[in-house]
Amino acid sequence: EVQLVESGGALVQPGGSLRLSCAASGFTFSTSWMSWVRQAPGKGLEWVASIRGDEILIHYLASVEGRFTVFRDNARSTVFLQMNSLRAEDTAIYYCAKLLGTVTTFHFWGQGTLVTVSS
Amino acid sequence: DIQLTQSPSFLSASIGDRVTISCRASQGINNYLAWYQQKPGKAPNLLIHSASTLYSGVPSRFRGSGSGTEFTLTISSLQPEDSATYYCQQRNGYPITFGPGTKVEIK
């Protein structure tokens, strides 16, 4: 059974940093594309970043590029999202998602972790 | 960036009704479109990918169609458990984008 479990969400001040983790199980993690998708309170879904299994291909949403870094530890089947220079507009539930093969369609999702950026 | 618009933004229908949700892309995206269902407090669930392919385990009352810029999600006979928000998503290129959502309410 595929499982994705996010952690690391917290209340952080503007300009602060946070690292989210997503522990995966139930599939061959090292060859799987993984993504982060966020959802601001009461709002729609917004793709944030995607990373290929070998970490050679990585894509970011323009508004987070240079502030967020996605990386992974295939030995631990975990994907991370390092978030720096956080802004109020980054407040959201952050979901980890597995892509359907090499297709950018999200077929498994974690339960999400809440990041609140506020003073 | 490719923008997706959905219509309607909200609909209320009765059990057994046929429900149709539209998704329009700002430029052609071939058939690179997926549909998701999200219930309050839960992560989204994939329903349809590649515009018309029903994802494993999804009830057959859900049907996707369209290509290019116009897409449709149809629920052939609305069930109580279909009360949710539905999102379309394009994967024709980065950034990946989602539609704003359609909330479906059961009368």
Side-chain angles (χ1 to χ4, degrees):
Chain A
E1 178 194 3
V2 171
Q3 284 199 325
L4 300 171
V5 180
E6 301 96 334
S7 60
L11 170 63
V12 61
Q13 292 190 337
S17 297
L18 207 57
R19 178 178 292 181
L20 306 183
S21 301
C22 171
S25 60
F27 62 97
T28 305
F29 181 79
S30 61
T31 59
S32 297
W33 276 87
M34 299 295 296
S35 287
W36 290 93
V37 177
R38 68 185 179 185
Q39 187 168 35
K43 303 297 183 182
L45 301 166
E46 182 176 52
W47 168 81
V48 174
S50 293
I51 181 170
R52 199 168 73 177
D54 59 8
E55 295 189 277
I56 292 176
L57 281 182
I58 297 174
H59 301 279
Y60 294 102
L61 180 67
S63 63
V64 308
E65 188 146 26
R67 300 188 298 123
F68 290 11
T69 302
V70 61
F71 60 102
R72 58 197 294 161
D73 182 340
N74 286 340
R76 294 166 52 194
S77 296
T78 302
V79 62
F80 302 92
L81 185 67
Q82 176 67 41
M83 303 186 294
N84 299 330
S85 303
L86 282 161
R87 306 167 180 167
E89 55 264 36
D90 295 320
T91 294
I93 296 172
Y94 283 73
Y95 294 102
C96 165
K98 177 185 179 299
L99 275 62
L100 181 62
T102 58
V103 170
T104 315
T105 297
F106 312 105
H107 72 140
F108 286 107
W109 299 67
Q111 83 288 351
T113 188
L114 177 63
V115 173
T116 303
V117 184
S118 175
S119 55
Chain B
D1 297 2
I2 297 172
Q3 309 300 320
L4 298 177
T5 56
Q6 288 183 234
S7 60
S9 57
F10 174 84
L11 71 87
S12 183
S14 300
I15 300 301
D17 281 356
R18 181 184 181 89
V19 165
T20 298
I21 299 169
S22 295
C23 178
R24 175 176 291 179
S26 59
Q27 64 188 73
I29 57 171
N30 299 293
N31 68 335
Y32 299 151
L33 190 98
W35 290 96
Y36 300 85
Q37 176 194 68
Q38 186 179 32
K39 297 182 179 181
K42 301 293 186 180
N45 287 314
L46 176 64
L47 299 174
I48 303 283
H49 67 90
S50 302
S52 59
T53 302
L54 193 67
Y55 184 61
S56 175
V58 175
S60 59
R61 64 180 180 274
F62 291 95
R63 178 176 174 269
S65 62
S67 67
T69 60
E70 301 283 344
F71 301 88
T72 301
L73 174 68
T74 301
I75 308 174
S76 60
S77 178
L78 193 67
Q79 299 301 303
E81 60 268 30
D82 300 337
S83 177
T85 300
Y86 293 83
Y87 295 94
C88 56
Q89 173 243 318
Q90 68 79 23
R91 62 173 179 86
N92 194 61
Y94 289 96
I96 305 306
T97 51
F98 291 85
T102 295
K103 186 173 184 178
V104 174
E105 175 192 89
I106 309 295
K107 279 183 185 174

PDB file of all heavy atoms in Angstrom, chain B residues 65-104:
ATOM      1  N   SER B  65     -13.965  13.821 -20.962  1.00  0.00           N
ATOM      2  CA  SER B  65     -13.900  13.938 -22.424  1.00  0.00           C
ATOM      3  C   SER B  65     -13.259  15.268 -22.788  1.00  0.00           C
ATOM      4  O   SER B  65     -13.104  16.155 -21.948  1.00  0.00           O
ATOM      5  CB  SER B  65     -15.294  13.817 -23.035  1.00  0.00           C
ATOM      6  OG  SER B  65     -16.129  14.866 -22.589  1.00  0.00           O
ATOM      7  N   GLY B  66     -12.909  15.378 -24.077  1.00  0.00           N
ATOM      8  CA  GLY B  66     -12.365  16.622 -24.589  1.00  0.00           C
ATOM      9  C   GLY B  66     -10.917  16.505 -25.015  1.00  0.00           C
ATOM     10  O   GLY B  66     -10.240  15.520 -24.718  1.00  0.00           O
ATOM     11  N   SER B  67     -10.464  17.516 -25.704  1.00  0.00           N
ATOM     12  CA  SER B  67      -9.066  17.638 -26.094  1.00  0.00           C
ATOM     13  C   SER B  67      -8.834  19.066 -26.572  1.00  0.00           C
ATOM     14  O   SER B  67      -9.792  19.801 -26.835  1.00  0.00           O
ATOM     15  CB  SER B  67      -8.692  16.635 -27.187  1.00  0.00           C
ATOM     16  OG  SER B  67      -9.370  16.943 -28.383  1.00  0.00           O
ATOM     17  N   GLY B  68      -7.568  19.446 -26.676  1.00  0.00           N
ATOM     18  CA  GLY B  68      -7.270  20.799 -27.117  1.00  0.00           C
ATOM     19  C   GLY B  68      -7.451  21.807 -25.999  1.00  0.00           C
ATOM     20  O   GLY B  68      -6.615  21.895 -25.101  1.00  0.00           O
ATOM     21  N   THR B  69      -8.562  22.540 -26.042  1.00  0.00           N
ATOM     22  CA  THR B  69      -8.803  23.554 -25.010  1.00  0.00           C
ATOM     23  C   THR B  69     -10.096  23.342 -24.228  1.00  0.00           C
ATOM     24  O   THR B  69     -10.322  24.030 -23.230  1.00  0.00           O
ATOM     25  CB  THR B  69      -8.864  24.970 -25.626  1.00  0.00           C
ATOM     26  OG1 THR B  69      -9.936  25.015 -26.580  1.00  0.00           O
ATOM     27  CG2 THR B  69      -7.549  25.331 -26.303  1.00  0.00           C
ATOM     28  N   GLU B  70     -10.941  22.410 -24.650  1.00  0.00           N
ATOM     29  CA  GLU B  70     -12.240  22.229 -24.006  1.00  0.00           C
ATOM     30  C   GLU B  70     -12.379  20.821 -23.450  1.00  0.00           C
ATOM     31  O   GLU B  70     -12.240  19.833 -24.186  1.00  0.00           O
ATOM     32  CB  GLU B  70     -13.367  22.482 -25.015  1.00  0.00           C
ATOM     33  CG  GLU B  70     -13.365  23.868 -25.643  1.00  0.00           C
ATOM     34  CD  GLU B  70     -13.901  24.937 -24.711  1.00  0.00           C
ATOM     35  OE1 GLU B  70     -14.552  24.582 -23.711  1.00  0.00           O
ATOM     36  OE2 GLU B  70     -13.662  26.123 -24.985  1.00  0.00           O
ATOM     37  N   PHE B  71     -12.690  20.742 -22.179  1.00  0.00           N
ATOM     38  CA  PHE B  71     -12.769  19.450 -21.493  1.00  0.00           C
ATOM     39  C   PHE B  71     -14.008  19.414 -20.606  1.00  0.00           C
ATOM     40  O   PHE B  71     -14.488  20.447 -20.147  1.00  0.00           O
ATOM     41  CB  PHE B  71     -11.512  19.219 -20.639  1.00  0.00           C
ATOM     42  CG  PHE B  71     -10.253  19.231 -21.445  1.00  0.00           C
ATOM     43  CD1 PHE B  71      -9.584  20.424 -21.686  1.00  0.00           C
ATOM     44  CD2 PHE B  71      -9.723  18.050 -21.959  1.00  0.00           C
ATOM     45  CE1 PHE B  71      -8.422  20.453 -22.433  1.00  0.00           C
ATOM     46  CE2 PHE B  71      -8.565  18.067 -22.715  1.00  0.00           C
ATOM     47  CZ  PHE B  71      -7.916  19.267 -22.956  1.00  0.00           C
ATOM     48  N   THR B  72     -14.469  18.206 -20.358  1.00  0.00           N
ATOM     49  CA  THR B  72     -15.678  18.031 -19.563  1.00  0.00           C
ATOM     50  C   THR B  72     -15.534  16.840 -18.631  1.00  0.00           C
ATOM     51  O   THR B  72     -15.004  15.797 -19.025  1.00  0.00           O
ATOM     52  CB  THR B  72     -16.893  17.793 -20.478  1.00  0.00           C
ATOM     53  OG1 THR B  72     -17.060  18.907 -21.359  1.00  0.00           O
ATOM     54  CG2 THR B  72     -18.167  17.619 -19.666  1.00  0.00           C
ATOM     55  N   LEU B  73     -15.994  17.023 -17.414  1.00  0.00           N
ATOM     56  CA  LEU B  73     -16.151  15.916 -16.472  1.00  0.00           C
ATOM     57  C   LEU B  73     -17.649  15.709 -16.288  1.00  0.00           C
ATOM     58  O   LEU B  73     -18.368  16.662 -15.978  1.00  0.00           O
ATOM     59  CB  LEU B  73     -15.514  16.238 -15.121  1.00  0.00           C
ATOM     60  CG  LEU B  73     -15.739  15.200 -14.015  1.00  0.00           C
ATOM     61  CD1 LEU B  73     -15.004  13.901 -14.331  1.00  0.00           C
ATOM     62  CD2 LEU B  73     -15.299  15.744 -12.654  1.00  0.00           C
ATOM     63  N   THR B  74     -18.096  14.491 -16.505  1.00  0.00           N
ATOM     64  CA  THR B  74     -19.508  14.165 -16.355  1.00  0.00           C
ATOM     65  C   THR B  74     -19.674  13.114 -15.271  1.00  0.00           C
ATOM     66  O   THR B  74     -18.933  12.120 -15.242  1.00  0.00           O
ATOM     67  CB  THR B  74     -20.091  13.637 -17.676  1.00  0.00           C
ATOM     68  OG1 THR B  74     -19.934  14.626 -18.690  1.00  0.00           O
ATOM     69  CG2 THR B  74     -21.566  13.292 -17.524  1.00  0.00           C
ATOM     70  N   ILE B  75     -20.615  13.355 -14.389  1.00  0.00           N
ATOM     71  CA  ILE B  75     -21.048  12.343 -13.427  1.00  0.00           C
ATOM     72  C   ILE B  75     -22.424  11.903 -13.901  1.00  0.00           C
ATOM     73  O   ILE B  75     -23.367  12.701 -13.923  1.00  0.00           O
ATOM     74  CB  ILE B  75     -21.113  12.897 -11.996  1.00  0.00           C
ATOM     75  CG1 ILE B  75     -19.796  13.575 -11.616  1.00  0.00           C
ATOM     76  CG2 ILE B  75     -21.425  11.765 -11.002  1.00  0.00           C
ATOM     77  CD1 ILE B  75     -19.834  14.289 -10.263  1.00  0.00           C
ATOM     78  N   SER B  76     -22.537  10.642 -14.289  1.00  0.00           N
ATOM     79  CA  SER B  76     -23.755  10.216 -14.991  1.00  0.00           C
ATOM     80  C   SER B  76     -24.968  10.132 -14.080  1.00  0.00           C
ATOM     81  O   SER B  76     -26.091  10.393 -14.506  1.00  0.00           O
ATOM     82  CB  SER B  76     -23.526   8.863 -15.663  1.00  0.00           C
ATOM     83  OG  SER B  76     -23.200   7.887 -14.702  1.00  0.00           O
ATOM     84  N   SER B  77     -24.741   9.769 -12.824  1.00  0.00           N
ATOM     85  CA  SER B  77     -25.837   9.647 -11.866  1.00  0.00           C
ATOM     86  C   SER B  77     -25.301  10.026 -10.498  1.00  0.00           C
ATOM     87  O   SER B  77     -24.633   9.223  -9.836  1.00  0.00           O
ATOM     88  CB  SER B  77     -26.393   8.226 -11.857  1.00  0.00           C
ATOM     89  OG  SER B  77     -27.418   8.082 -10.892  1.00  0.00           O
ATOM     90  N   LEU B  78     -25.561  11.250 -10.080  1.00  0.00           N
ATOM     91  CA  LEU B  78     -24.958  11.811  -8.877  1.00  0.00           C
ATOM     92  C   LEU B  78     -25.321  11.007  -7.636  1.00  0.00           C
ATOM     93  O   LEU B  78     -26.494  10.668  -7.412  1.00  0.00           O
ATOM     94  CB  LEU B  78     -25.398  13.265  -8.716  1.00  0.00           C
ATOM     95  CG  LEU B  78     -24.642  14.110  -7.704  1.00  0.00           C
ATOM     96  CD1 LEU B  78     -23.208  14.334  -8.143  1.00  0.00           C
ATOM     97  CD2 LEU B  78     -25.360  15.450  -7.504  1.00  0.00           C
ATOM     98  N   GLN B  79     -24.311  10.702  -6.833  1.00  0.00           N
ATOM     99  CA  GLN B  79     -24.489   9.960  -5.589  1.00  0.00           C
ATOM    100  C   GLN B  79     -24.148  10.849  -4.388  1.00  0.00           C
ATOM    101  O   GLN B  79     -23.400  11.820  -4.532  1.00  0.00           O
ATOM    102  CB  GLN B  79     -23.613   8.718  -5.597  1.00  0.00           C
ATOM    103  CG  GLN B  79     -23.929   7.751  -6.720  1.00  0.00           C
ATOM    104  CD  GLN B  79     -25.370   7.259  -6.668  1.00  0.00           C
ATOM    105  OE1 GLN B  79     -25.814   6.695  -5.668  1.00  0.00           O
ATOM    106  NE2 GLN B  79     -26.100   7.484  -7.767  1.00  0.00           N
ATOM    107  N   PRO B  80     -24.663  10.508  -3.214  1.00  0.00           N
ATOM    108  CA  PRO B  80     -24.400  11.354  -2.032  1.00  0.00           C
ATOM    109  C   PRO B  80     -22.903  11.566  -1.774  1.00  0.00           C
ATOM    110  O   PRO B  80     -22.497  12.671  -1.384  1.00  0.00           O
ATOM    111  CB  PRO B  80     -25.052  10.564  -0.892  1.00  0.00           C
ATOM    112  CG  PRO B  80     -26.106   9.753  -1.549  1.00  0.00           C
ATOM    113  CD  PRO B  80     -25.580   9.407  -2.900  1.00  0.00           C
ATOM    114  N   GLU B  81     -22.109  10.544  -2.030  1.00  0.00           N
ATOM    115  CA  GLU B  81     -20.669  10.645  -1.758  1.00  0.00           C
ATOM    116  C   GLU B  81     -19.926  11.496  -2.786  1.00  0.00           C
ATOM    117  O   GLU B  81     -18.723  11.718  -2.640  1.00  0.00           O
ATOM    118  CB  GLU B  81     -20.046   9.245  -1.686  1.00  0.00           C
ATOM    119  CG  GLU B  81     -20.170   8.410  -2.932  1.00  0.00           C
ATOM    120  CD  GLU B  81     -21.405   7.523  -2.943  1.00  0.00           C
ATOM    121  OE1 GLU B  81     -22.429   7.910  -2.335  1.00  0.00           O
ATOM    122  OE2 GLU B  81     -21.328   6.427  -3.554  1.00  0.00           O
ATOM    123  N   ASP B  82     -20.622  11.990  -3.798  1.00  0.00           N
ATOM    124  CA  ASP B  82     -19.988  12.829  -4.812  1.00  0.00           C
ATOM    125  C   ASP B  82     -19.966  14.303  -4.413  1.00  0.00           C
ATOM    126  O   ASP B  82     -19.418  15.133  -5.152  1.00  0.00           O
ATOM    127  CB  ASP B  82     -20.698  12.675  -6.162  1.00  0.00           C
ATOM    128  CG  ASP B  82     -20.663  11.248  -6.676  1.00  0.00           C
ATOM    129  OD1 ASP B  82     -19.755  10.485  -6.265  1.00  0.00           O
ATOM    130  OD2 ASP B  82     -21.548  10.886  -7.482  1.00  0.00           O
ATOM    131  N   SER B  83     -20.536  14.628  -3.275  1.00  0.00           N
ATOM    132  CA  SER B  83     -20.479  16.005  -2.775  1.00  0.00           C
ATOM    133  C   SER B  83     -19.023  16.340  -2.468  1.00  0.00           C
ATOM    134  O   SER B  83     -18.392  15.729  -1.596  1.00  0.00           O
ATOM    135  CB  SER B  83     -21.327  16.126  -1.500  1.00  0.00           C
ATOM    136  OG  SER B  83     -21.225  17.429  -0.965  1.00  0.00           O
ATOM    137  N   ALA B  84     -18.466  17.301  -3.209  1.00  0.00           N
ATOM    138  CA  ALA B  84     -17.031  17.580  -3.141  1.00  0.00           C
ATOM    139  C   ALA B  84     -16.718  18.758  -4.060  1.00  0.00           C
ATOM    140  O   ALA B  84     -17.598  19.279  -4.744  1.00  0.00           O
ATOM    141  CB  ALA B  84     -16.228  16.353  -3.593  1.00  0.00           C
ATOM    142  N   THR B  85     -15.450  19.147  -4.040  1.00  0.00           N
ATOM    143  CA  THR B  85     -14.954  20.125  -5.011  1.00  0.00           C
ATOM    144  C   THR B  85     -14.115  19.393  -6.048  1.00  0.00           C
ATOM    145  O   THR B  85     -13.310  18.521  -5.693  1.00  0.00           O
ATOM    146  CB  THR B  85     -14.136  21.219  -4.321  1.00  0.00           C
ATOM    147  OG1 THR B  85     -14.970  21.899  -3.363  1.00  0.00           O
ATOM    148  CG2 THR B  85     -13.625  22.242  -5.331  1.00  0.00           C
ATOM    149  N   TYR B  86     -14.312  19.749  -7.303  1.00  0.00           N
ATOM    150  CA  TYR B  86     -13.630  19.082  -8.408  1.00  0.00           C
ATOM    151  C   TYR B  86     -12.683  20.066  -9.090  1.00  0.00           C
ATOM    152  O   TYR B  86     -13.055  21.210  -9.385  1.00  0.00           O
ATOM    153  CB  TYR B  86     -14.667  18.542  -9.403  1.00  0.00           C
ATOM    154  CG  TYR B  86     -15.495  17.431  -8.792  1.00  0.00           C
ATOM    155  CD1 TYR B  86     -16.593  17.722  -7.990  1.00  0.00           C
ATOM    156  CD2 TYR B  86     -15.153  16.094  -8.984  1.00  0.00           C
ATOM    157  CE1 TYR B  86     -17.336  16.708  -7.396  1.00  0.00           C
ATOM    158  CE2 TYR B  86     -15.892  15.076  -8.395  1.00  0.00           C
ATOM    159  CZ  TYR B  86     -16.977  15.398  -7.598  1.00  0.00           C
ATOM    160  OH  TYR B  86     -17.696  14.387  -7.006  1.00  0.00           O
ATOM    161  N   TYR B  87     -11.458  19.598  -9.331  1.00  0.00           N
ATOM    162  CA  TYR B  87     -10.442  20.417  -9.965  1.00  0.00           C
ATOM    163  C   TYR B  87      -9.943  19.742 -11.241  1.00  0.00           C
ATOM    164  O   TYR B  87      -9.725  18.526 -11.255  1.00  0.00           O
ATOM    165  CB  TYR B  87      -9.225  20.602  -9.048  1.00  0.00           C
ATOM    166  CG  TYR B  87      -9.498  21.367  -7.778  1.00  0.00           C
ATOM    167  CD1 TYR B  87      -9.816  20.711  -6.595  1.00  0.00           C
ATOM    168  CD2 TYR B  87      -9.399  22.760  -7.747  1.00  0.00           C
ATOM    169  CE1 TYR B  87     -10.047  21.409  -5.420  1.00  0.00           C
ATOM    170  CE2 TYR B  87      -9.628  23.473  -6.578  1.00  0.00           C
ATOM    171  CZ  TYR B  87      -9.953  22.782  -5.417  1.00  0.00           C
ATOM    172  OH  TYR B  87     -10.181  23.487  -4.250  1.00  0.00           O
ATOM    173  N   CYS B  88      -9.706  20.564 -12.275  1.00  0.00           N
ATOM    174  CA  CYS B  88      -8.967  20.070 -13.432  1.00  0.00           C
ATOM    175  C   CYS B  88      -7.515  20.525 -13.286  1.00  0.00           C
ATOM    176  O   CYS B  88      -7.208  21.465 -12.539  1.00  0.00           O
ATOM    177  CB  CYS B  88      -9.580  20.554 -14.735  1.00  0.00           C
ATOM    178  SG  CYS B  88      -9.767  22.336 -14.936  1.00  0.00           S
ATOM    179  N   GLN B  89      -6.623  19.833 -13.989  1.00  0.00           N
ATOM    180  CA  GLN B  89      -5.178  20.119 -13.903  1.00  0.00           C
ATOM    181  C   GLN B  89      -4.536  19.799 -15.238  1.00  0.00           C
ATOM    182  O   GLN B  89      -4.785  18.738 -15.805  1.00  0.00           O
ATOM    183  CB  GLN B  89      -4.532  19.275 -12.801  1.00  0.00           C
ATOM    184  CG  GLN B  89      -3.008  19.367 -12.739  1.00  0.00           C
ATOM    185  CD  GLN B  89      -2.314  18.044 -13.015  1.00  0.00           C
ATOM    186  OE1 GLN B  89      -2.737  16.993 -12.548  1.00  0.00           O
ATOM    187  NE2 GLN B  89      -1.224  18.073 -13.752  1.00  0.00           N
ATOM    188  N   GLN B  90      -3.701  20.700 -15.730  1.00  0.00           N
ATOM    189  CA  GLN B  90      -3.030  20.452 -17.003  1.00  0.00           C
ATOM    190  C   GLN B  90      -1.568  20.118 -16.773  1.00  0.00           C
ATOM    191  O   GLN B  90      -0.930  20.583 -15.826  1.00  0.00           O
ATOM    192  CB  GLN B  90      -3.185  21.675 -17.927  1.00  0.00           C
ATOM    193  CG  GLN B  90      -2.460  22.940 -17.499  1.00  0.00           C
ATOM    194  CD  GLN B  90      -0.974  22.950 -17.809  1.00  0.00           C
ATOM    195  OE1 GLN B  90      -0.511  22.224 -18.698  1.00  0.00           O
ATOM    196  NE2 GLN B  90      -0.207  23.769 -17.101  1.00  0.00           N
ATOM    197  N   ARG B  91      -1.054  19.257 -17.646  1.00  0.00           N
ATOM    198  CA  ARG B  91       0.350  18.862 -17.567  1.00  0.00           C
ATOM    199  C   ARG B  91       1.029  19.042 -18.914  1.00  0.00           C
ATOM    200  O   ARG B  91       1.947  18.302 -19.258  1.00  0.00           O
ATOM    201  CB  ARG B  91       0.458  17.407 -17.093  1.00  0.00           C
ATOM    202  CG  ARG B  91      -0.204  16.403 -18.037  1.00  0.00           C
ATOM    203  CD  ARG B  91       0.081  14.982 -17.596  1.00  0.00           C
ATOM    204  NE  ARG B  91      -0.537  13.987 -18.442  1.00  0.00           N
ATOM    205  CZ  ARG B  91      -0.014  13.498 -19.541  1.00  0.00           C
ATOM    206  NH1 ARG B  91       1.162  13.949 -19.970  1.00  0.00           N
ATOM    207  NH2 ARG B  91      -0.633  12.575 -20.233  1.00  0.00           N
ATOM    208  N   ASN B  92       0.575  20.031 -19.684  1.00  0.00           N
ATOM    209  CA  ASN B  92       1.177  20.242 -20.990  1.00  0.00           C
ATOM    210  C   ASN B  92       2.557  20.870 -20.891  1.00  0.00           C
ATOM    211  O   ASN B  92       3.307  20.863 -21.865  1.00  0.00           O
ATOM    212  CB  ASN B  92       0.280  21.120 -21.861  1.00  0.00           C
ATOM    213  CG  ASN B  92       0.686  21.106 -23.318  1.00  0.00           C
ATOM    214  OD1 ASN B  92       0.676  20.070 -23.966  1.00  0.00           O
ATOM    215  ND2 ASN B  92       1.073  22.266 -23.830  1.00  0.00           N
ATOM    216  N   GLY B  93       2.864  21.438 -19.758  1.00  0.00           N
ATOM    217  CA  GLY B  93       4.178  22.036 -19.557  1.00  0.00           C
ATOM    218  C   GLY B  93       4.218  22.691 -18.197  1.00  0.00           C
ATOM    219  O   GLY B  93       3.189  22.855 -17.540  1.00  0.00           O
ATOM    220  N   TYR B  94       5.408  23.070 -17.770  1.00  0.00           N
ATOM    221  CA  TYR B  94       5.541  23.745 -16.486  1.00  0.00           C
ATOM    222  C   TYR B  94       5.328  25.247 -16.659  1.00  0.00           C
ATOM    223  O   TYR B  94       5.721  25.805 -17.683  1.00  0.00           O
ATOM    224  CB  TYR B  94       6.921  23.455 -15.892  1.00  0.00           C
ATOM    225  CG  TYR B  94       7.058  22.032 -15.414  1.00  0.00           C
ATOM    226  CD1 TYR B  94       7.627  21.051 -16.216  1.00  0.00           C
ATOM    227  CD2 TYR B  94       6.569  21.650 -14.157  1.00  0.00           C
ATOM    228  CE1 TYR B  94       7.732  19.737 -15.786  1.00  0.00           C
ATOM    229  CE2 TYR B  94       6.682  20.342 -13.720  1.00  0.00           C
ATOM    230  CZ  TYR B  94       7.252  19.394 -14.538  1.00  0.00           C
ATOM    231  OH  TYR B  94       7.345  18.094 -14.108  1.00  0.00           O
ATOM    232  N   PRO B  95       4.719  25.923 -15.695  1.00  0.00           N
ATOM    233  CA  PRO B  95       4.234  25.350 -14.449  1.00  0.00           C
ATOM    234  C   PRO B  95       2.953  24.544 -14.624  1.00  0.00           C
ATOM    235  O   PRO B  95       2.089  24.893 -15.426  1.00  0.00           O
ATOM    236  CB  PRO B  95       3.962  26.580 -13.589  1.00  0.00           C
ATOM    237  CG  PRO B  95       3.574  27.621 -14.583  1.00  0.00           C
ATOM    238  CD  PRO B  95       4.435  27.356 -15.794  1.00  0.00           C
ATOM    239  N   ILE B  96       2.867  23.458 -13.879  1.00  0.00           N
ATOM    240  CA  ILE B  96       1.618  22.715 -13.814  1.00  0.00           C
ATOM    241  C   ILE B  96       0.578  23.628 -13.185  1.00  0.00           C
ATOM    242  O   ILE B  96       0.862  24.321 -12.199  1.00  0.00           O
ATOM    243  CB  ILE B  96       1.806  21.473 -12.920  1.00  0.00           C
ATOM    244  CG1 ILE B  96       2.974  20.625 -13.428  1.00  0.00           C
ATOM    245  CG2 ILE B  96       0.515  20.688 -12.822  1.00  0.00           C
ATOM    246  CD1 ILE B  96       2.876  20.229 -14.858  1.00  0.00           C
ATOM    247  N   THR B  97      -0.620  23.652 -13.748  1.00  0.00           N
ATOM    248  CA  THR B  97      -1.659  24.513 -13.201  1.00  0.00           C
ATOM    249  C   THR B  97      -2.959  23.750 -13.003  1.00  0.00           C
ATOM    250  O   THR B  97      -3.242  22.775 -13.716  1.00  0.00           O
ATOM    251  CB  THR B  97      -1.908  25.735 -14.099  1.00  0.00           C
ATOM    252  OG1 THR B  97      -2.120  25.294 -15.449  1.00  0.00           O
ATOM    253  CG2 THR B  97      -0.732  26.696 -14.063  1.00  0.00           C
ATOM    254  N   PHE B  98      -3.722  24.232 -12.018  1.00  0.00           N
ATOM    255  CA  PHE B  98      -5.026  23.681 -11.699  1.00  0.00           C
ATOM    256  C   PHE B  98      -6.109  24.719 -12.021  1.00  0.00           C
ATOM    257  O   PHE B  98      -5.865  25.930 -11.978  1.00  0.00           O
ATOM    258  CB  PHE B  98      -5.128  23.360 -10.202  1.00  0.00           C
ATOM    259  CG  PHE B  98      -4.275  22.209  -9.746  1.00  0.00           C
ATOM    260  CD1 PHE B  98      -2.950  22.408  -9.401  1.00  0.00           C
ATOM    261  CD2 PHE B  98      -4.806  20.931  -9.645  1.00  0.00           C
ATOM    262  CE1 PHE B  98      -2.149  21.358  -8.966  1.00  0.00           C
ATOM    263  CE2 PHE B  98      -4.034  19.866  -9.205  1.00  0.00           C
ATOM    264  CZ  PHE B  98      -2.699  20.085  -8.870  1.00  0.00           C
ATOM    265  N   GLY B  99      -7.292  24.227 -12.294  1.00  0.00           N
ATOM    266  CA  GLY B  99      -8.439  25.109 -12.386  1.00  0.00           C
ATOM    267  C   GLY B  99      -8.850  25.571 -10.993  1.00  0.00           C
ATOM    268  O   GLY B  99      -8.383  25.025  -9.989  1.00  0.00           O
ATOM    269  N   PRO B 100      -9.730  26.559 -10.906  1.00  0.00           N
ATOM    270  CA  PRO B 100     -10.135  27.123  -9.604  1.00  0.00           C
ATOM    271  C   PRO B 100     -11.094  26.249  -8.812  1.00  0.00           C
ATOM    272  O   PRO B 100     -11.342  26.518  -7.634  1.00  0.00           O
ATOM    273  CB  PRO B 100     -10.807  28.435  -9.998  1.00  0.00           C
ATOM    274  CG  PRO B 100     -11.296  28.194 -11.390  1.00  0.00           C
ATOM    275  CD  PRO B 100     -10.294  27.289 -12.035  1.00  0.00           C
ATOM    276  N   GLY B 101     -11.624  25.229  -9.430  1.00  0.00           N
ATOM    277  CA  GLY B 101     -12.497  24.301  -8.722  1.00  0.00           C
ATOM    278  C   GLY B 101     -13.974  24.532  -8.977  1.00  0.00           C
ATOM    279  O   GLY B 101     -14.415  25.649  -9.257  1.00  0.00           O
ATOM    280  N   THR B 102     -14.731  23.449  -8.880  1.00  0.00           N
ATOM    281  CA  THR B 102     -16.190  23.478  -8.952  1.00  0.00           C
ATOM    282  C   THR B 102     -16.731  22.737  -7.750  1.00  0.00           C
ATOM    283  O   THR B 102     -16.416  21.549  -7.565  1.00  0.00           O
ATOM    284  CB  THR B 102     -16.703  22.802 -10.240  1.00  0.00           C
ATOM    285  OG1 THR B 102     -16.293  23.548 -11.371  1.00  0.00           O
ATOM    286  CG2 THR B 102     -18.227  22.689 -10.218  1.00  0.00           C
ATOM    287  N   LYS B 103     -17.492  23.423  -6.928  1.00  0.00           N
ATOM    288  CA  LYS B 103     -18.073  22.785  -5.756  1.00  0.00           C
ATOM    289  C   LYS B 103     -19.421  22.182  -6.118  1.00  0.00           C
ATOM    290  O   LYS B 103     -20.298  22.878  -6.647  1.00  0.00           O
ATOM    291  CB  LYS B 103     -18.224  23.791  -4.619  1.00  0.00           C
ATOM    292  CG  LYS B 103     -18.692  23.161  -3.308  1.00  0.00           C
ATOM    293  CD  LYS B 103     -18.662  24.161  -2.168  1.00  0.00           C
ATOM    294  CE  LYS B 103     -19.043  23.503  -0.851  1.00  0.00           C
ATOM    295  NZ  LYS B 103     -18.962  24.461   0.280  1.00  0.00           N
ATOM    296  N   VAL B 104     -19.573  20.908  -5.841  1.00  0.00           N
ATOM    297  CA  VAL B 104     -20.820  20.200  -6.133  1.00  0.00           C
ATOM    298  C   VAL B 104     -21.537  19.906  -4.825  1.00  0.00           C
ATOM    299  O   VAL B 104     -20.979  19.267  -3.924  1.00  0.00           O
ATOM    300  CB  VAL B 104     -20.551  18.901  -6.911  1.00  0.00           C
ATOM    301  CG1 VAL B 104     -21.842  18.103  -7.083  1.00  0.00           C
ATOM    302  CG2 VAL B 104     -19.920  19.214  -8.255  1.00  0.00           C
TER     303      VAL B 104
END
